[in-house]
Amino acid sequence: GGLEKEDGEMRQSALPFVLTILLSATPAVAQDGDAILGLWATDPEGGGGEAHVEVYKENGKYHGKIIWLAQPVYPPDDPKGTPGEEKTDLNNPDPDLRHEPVVGLLITKDFVYKGKGIWHKGTIYDPDNGKTYKCKIKFGDNEKVLKVRGFIGVSMIGRTTFWTRVETEE
């Protein structure tokens, strides 16, 4: 009868250990393409000043649009825009779209989740020059930083900017 008691204690003490292992493994399992969803602050050193981009999912692909700008109007010394007016997509190659506000602009589109914290096969639009580039996005050291790499042709010829997750007050 003594062996049964030992086995019972063994099973009981192993349970918390097994639960701990399962629970600590959850984040790795839970990391899927939707981990990119949410609000991201662009790198103000990236060129156009700070913006907030909302990443959302539509038809199985990931897209991002500008929903906030640190400087939403043209400054007094801006050579292109009218000072005090809302910033528009002045550099768009399509003249019909140059009156479109920058806030609301779709800048990343058609990303597919590849796995291992990488989204690819998408494009990024740069309103500063009106050009669209191939792009890939991956997490930096953690899920609070995105490395956004726009490139021409091959990934080696391009520029990386860092976007930081914007923590929203719930």
Side-chain angles (χ1 to χ4, degrees):
L3 286 175
E4 284 175 36
K5 187 176 182 208
E6 282 178 24
D7 283 350
E9 284 176 20
M10 178 72 161
R11 259 184 262 124
Q12 217 171 14
S13 64
L15 186 61
F17 174 73
V18 170
L19 281 176
T20 302
I21 296 297
L22 288 173
L23 292 173
S24 64
T26 305
V29 173
Q31 188 191 55
D32 61 9
D34 289 355
I36 196 174
L37 298 176
L39 207 52
W40 298 90
T42 63
D43 176 6
E45 307 306 312
E50 188 183 3
H52 288 178
V53 175
E54 181 179 22
V55 175
Y56 62 97
K57 187 175 183 179
E58 191 174 273
N59 299 325
K61 293 187 177 182
Y62 298 88
H63 315 278
K65 68 179 172 186
I66 295 175
I67 63 161
W68 177 86
L69 286 175
Q71 297 180 326
V73 297
Y74 291 105
D77 58 347
D78 196 292
K80 294 183 203 163
T82 307
E85 296 271 313
E86 179 182 37
K87 286 186 179 174
T88 60
D89 193 11
L90 287 178
N91 299 310
N92 196 304
D94 181 345
D96 292 341
L97 298 177
R98 292 180 186 159
H99 69 280
E100 292 293 319
V102 172
V103 173
L105 207 57
L106 188 65
I107 63 161
T108 59
K109 63 181 181 180
D110 298 329
F111 283 85
V112 176
Y113 186 61
K114 180 180 180 179
K116 296 184 181 169
I118 299 170
W119 293 260
H120 67 148
K121 296 187 178 179
T123 59
I124 187 164
Y125 173 73
D126 184 349
D128 288 340
N129 64 19
K131 294 185 177 167
T132 299
Y133 303 95
K134 291 179 180 177
C135 187
K136 70 179 179 182
I137 299 173
K138 64 182 181 178
F139 281 125
D141 296 336
N142 56 52
E143 290 189 11
K144 292 182 189 272
V145 176
L146 288 179
K147 292 167 82 173
V148 181
R149 180 136 184 102
F151 56 93
I152 300 168
V154 292
S155 179
M156 286 171 39
I157 304 169
R159 184 180 85 193
T160 301
T161 59
F162 295 87
W163 295 6
T164 309
R165 188 177 292 280
V166 176
E167 302 297 338
T168 52
E169 303 289 321
E170 296 272 336

